[in-house]
Amino acid sequence: MSETITSQEFEKVELRAGTIIEVNDFPKARKPSYKLLIDLGEKIGIRRSSAQITQLYSKAELLGRQVICVTNFPPRQIADFISEVLTTGFILDDGEVVLSQIERNVPNGSRLA
């Protein structure tokens, strides 16, 4: 069973909508990954994220897709790249990641409630 948290603890995690505006290969990453540039709206701006999603998603199908990102984790260095936000997804038994999906387009930067 998972550890229980309070609603106040959950509210500290900023989950926001963003649109992928650029996708690049990330050959220096230990596991196959992409470097993503994500537009998180006027208030937050454009942020970088590394995502291990190369097996299930092509660069073309990611471009323009809205994703859900954690925007208030500290930046994390992965090889020679600084990942500024965490792009969320569901980890399958084989280790592949299926991106969290937004059912309808929302303004970039919108917060998940």
Side-chain angles (χ1 to χ4, degrees), residues 22-27 33-37 49 51 54 59 81:
E22 188 175 306
V23 183
N24 294 297
D25 293 323
F26 191 3
S33 302
Y34 290 129
K35 293 178 184 178
L36 306 176
L37 277 184
S49 183
T54 60
K59 290 189 279 188
F81 183 76

Side-chain angles (χ1 to χ4, degrees), residues 13-83:
V13 180
E14 287 195 21
L15 292 157
R16 295 190 180 267
T19 300
I20 298 172
I21 59 171
E22 188 175 306
V23 183
N24 294 297
D25 293 323
F26 191 3
K28 291 186 179 181
R30 236 179 336 149
K31 295 181 181 179
S33 302
Y34 290 129
K35 293 178 184 178
L36 306 176
L37 277 184
I38 302 171
D39 181 353
L40 288 152
E42 199 172 298
K43 181 179 174 187
I44 298 170
I46 296 171
R47 296 289 185 258
R48 300 181 297 175
S49 183
S50 171
Q52 296 174 3
I53 54 175
T54 60
Q55 297 301 310
L56 297 181
Y57 300 94
S58 70
K59 290 189 279 188
E61 68 184 307
L62 290 170
L63 204 55
R65 172 177 276 209
Q66 276 201 311
V67 290
I68 302 168
C69 299
V70 178
T71 59
N72 63 336
F73 281 169
R76 182 173 175 203
Q77 183 162 356
I78 302 165
D80 63 347
F81 183 76
I82 302 295
S83 186

Side-chain angles (χ1 to χ4, degrees), residues 65-110:
R65 172 177 276 209
Q66 276 201 311
V67 290
I68 302 168
C69 299
V70 178
T71 59
N72 63 336
F73 281 169
R76 182 173 175 203
Q77 183 162 356
I78 302 165
D80 63 347
F81 183 76
I82 302 295
S83 186
E84 301 170 304
V85 297
L86 173 69
T87 304
T88 64
F90 300 92
I91 302 172
L92 303 178
D93 289 341
D94 64 1
E96 297 303 326
V97 176
V98 174
L99 289 171
S100 302
Q101 192 165 352
I102 298 173
E103 189 251 338
R104 295 180 192 195
N105 281 347
V106 297
N108 288 334
S110 294

